[in-house]
Amino acid sequence: MRNRERVLNLSLALFNQQGIAHVSTLQITTELEISPGNLYYHFRNKEDIAKALVQEFDQAVSRMRSEFSHQVNTLDDYPAFLLSLMTLLAQYRFVLRDLETLVLGEPDLKRCFGHLYNSLKALNQAMFDHLNHLDALSIEKEDQRFLADNSLMIAIGWINQLSMVNNTDEHTLILRQGVSRLVALVQPYLKLT
C-alpha cells in the first residue's frame, strides 16, 4: 500500500477514535513510521487529509445513490440498504461528528462538506423517489421532502452515538437500532398490500 493510502487509512481511524482536533500530523507520521517530509509530499497539513477523506466519503455516497435503484427492488430490500448506508456513515463518522472543527476557518473543507451534505440529501431524496416508483409509499411530494430531510438528520444523529462505545458488537447493535428508527419513520407512509 502506498504512503498516501496509509496516511488516509490511519488518519480516518484516528479522527474517528479521537476527533480531528486531537490528532496531529506528528502523531500520524510517528504511528506510520514515516518522515514528516513524506507526509507533506502528499498532504500539506491535517486539513488536506480531512479534505481528501471528505471527498472519499462524498464519492462513496454518490456510488450508493447510483446503486440504490438496482439494490432495492422491493420494500423488503430497503432495511438492508439502510444498514449499508449507516455503515458508510459510521466509517466516516468524524466528518459528521466534528463538523464545526472541520468547517470553521477552512473554506475548502466547508465547500467539500457542503457538497457531501448535498450528496447525502440527494441520496435520501432518491431513495424516497424510488420507493414511490415501486408504489410502496403513499405520501405527498412536500411531505416526502420533509421525510427525507428528517431521516437524514436522524441517521446523522444516530451515528454520533458510536462515539460513546468502543465495542464492535455495540457498534453493530447501534447501527441496527438506527436502521429500525429509520424504517419506523417511513412506516406511517407505507402502502398496505
Side-chain angles (χ1 to χ4, degrees):
M1 183 184 313
R2 294 179 31 217
N3 278 341
R4 185 178 196 284
E5 286 75 30
R6 291 177 63 221
V7 168
L8 289 174
N9 290 341
L10 177 66
S11 298
L12 179 60
L14 292 174
F15 292 168
N16 281 337
Q17 291 166 3
Q18 300 172 23
I20 191 168
H22 302 288
V23 176
S24 68
T25 54
L26 178 61
Q27 180 182 3
I28 294 167
T29 58
T30 300
E31 289 201 29
L32 287 176
E33 298 178 349
I34 62 173
S35 70
N38 201 324
L39 180 123
Y40 298 134
Y41 175 78
H42 300 287
F43 303 101
R44 291 178 312 200
N45 51 37
K46 181 171 60 172
E47 289 73 22
D48 277 357
I49 297 169
K51 181 179 167 187
L53 290 169
V54 170
Q55 290 170 333
E56 270 185 15
F57 187 10
D58 192 15
Q59 291 166 357
V61 168
S62 294
R63 281 191 303 275
M64 287 194 92
R65 182 177 174 197
S66 66
E67 294 167 1
F68 181 75
S69 61
H70 304 293
Q71 292 183 11
V72 178
N73 298 308
T74 70
L75 196 56
D76 292 337
D77 301 329
Y78 183 58
F81 186 85
L82 282 179
L83 183 58
S84 64
L85 175 58
M86 292 291 280
T87 301
L88 177 66
L89 295 179
Q91 182 182 351
Y92 291 92
R93 66 187 170 276
F94 86 93
V95 175
L96 306 171
R97 184 189 61 219
D98 298 347
L99 178 59
E100 189 173 308
T101 303
L102 285 169
V103 299
L104 284 180
E106 280 298 325
D108 280 350
L109 265 174
K110 188 174 186 173
R111 220 176 351 271
C112 286
F113 181 81
H115 193 274
L116 168 65
Y117 187 72
N118 287 333
S119 293
L120 285 166
K121 283 182 73 164
L123 169 61
N124 240 27
Q125 189 59 54
M127 289 189 313
F128 286 108
D129 286 342
H130 185 67
L131 291 176
N132 253 339
H133 175 74
L134 294 175
D135 204 29
L137 296 179
S138 176
I139 189 171
E140 298 293 323
K141 196 68 172 168
E142 186 67 19
D143 291 336
Q144 181 180 314
R145 270 199 358 260
F146 287 127
L147 183 62
D149 287 346
N150 288 342
S151 67
L152 178 57
M153 286 187 281
I154 288 171
I156 290 171
W158 203 261
I159 289 301
N160 285 324
Q161 291 191 41
L162 294 175
S163 301
M164 306 301 175
V165 297
N166 293 324
N167 183 315
T168 305
D169 292 337
E170 287 182 77
H171 277 219
T172 302
L173 178 63
I174 288 171
L175 293 179
R176 290 188 183 286
Q177 288 172 341
V179 168
S180 296
R181 293 328 186 266
L182 293 172
V183 170
L185 194 63
V186 175
Q187 201 82 35
Y189 302 101
L190 294 179
K191 285 189 176 178
L192 300 175
T193 55

